[in-house]
Amino acid sequence: MTGAPYVLLRAEEEELRSHEQQSHSIPPSQPRLASLDVFRGFTVALMIFVDYAGSIIPFVAHAPWDGLRLADFVMPFFLLIAGISIGLVYKRVSHKIIATRKATWRALKLFFLGIIIQGSKDEDDKWLGMSQMAYIISI
């Protein structure tokens, strides 16, 4: 009796692996979107610049509640890149339900990992940071 569920799980696992190999492999004939890669690189460079120059140059640091500065564009840029990337991947994947489950599971793992790693330094800190909010949005 105990062997039957194991066989069923093993068969489901093999089926998922075959679907993953078929649906998640990107054919070499489809090149990457260069403009998205350039925008991603620009955003990473902007993030590094804002992180190091924010304390030196005032208009680069995060704005108070009622303003908008250069640092306030980094997170929306990353969310835009993530949304475009997900849309491009879903165009190529034939089994969208399996891909959605996989993406949701990955987002949940990253969400809880971020909560564990971030922790709370002060009593005033929120337990949800910007990363956790991005993972909630992606779910």
Side-chain angles (χ1 to χ4, degrees):
M1 295 296 283
T2 60
Y6 176 74
V7 173
L8 181 64
L9 290 175
R10 187 76 167 164
E12 288 177 354
E13 183 179 312
E14 289 174 7
E15 181 182 344
L16 282 174
R17 282 188 186 153
S18 68
H19 284 305
E20 285 179 2
Q21 290 172 355
Q22 293 171 359
S23 64
H24 294 295
S25 60
I26 299 171
S29 62
Q30 295 179 347
R32 293 177 59 96
L33 186 60
S35 59
L36 187 62
D37 288 338
V38 169
F39 186 52
R40 185 179 293 122
F42 167 75
T43 305
V44 169
L46 181 65
M47 179 182 64
I48 293 169
F49 174 71
V50 163
D51 193 33
Y52 288 109
S55 60
I56 300 169
I57 307 170
F59 69 88
V60 172
H62 284 284
W65 183 251
D66 59 347
L68 182 68
R69 295 187 184 158
L70 188 60
D72 299 319
F73 287 101
V74 174
M75 183 70 175
F77 284 171
F78 274 120
L79 292 177
L80 178 67
I81 290 167
I84 291 171
S85 299
I86 289 172
L88 291 174
V89 167
Y90 269 71
K91 284 173 123 179
R92 298 180 195 165
V93 173
S94 58
H95 300 286
K96 292 179 179 25
I97 293 174
I98 293 173
T100 302
R101 278 189 210 150
K102 192 173 183 180
T104 303
W105 181 242
R106 182 179 294 164
L108 285 171
K109 287 191 293 189
L110 288 171
F111 175 78
F112 287 114
L113 182 67
I115 289 175
I116 291 168
I117 290 174
Q118 179 180 350
S120 181
K121 299 174 191 150
D122 298 328
E123 292 178 11
D124 296 336
D125 284 349
K126 299 175 187 169
W127 66 278
L128 285 179
M130 290 303 292
S131 299
Q132 286 78 28
M133 289 183 205
Y135 300 138
I136 289 173
I137 291 169
S138 69
I139 293 175

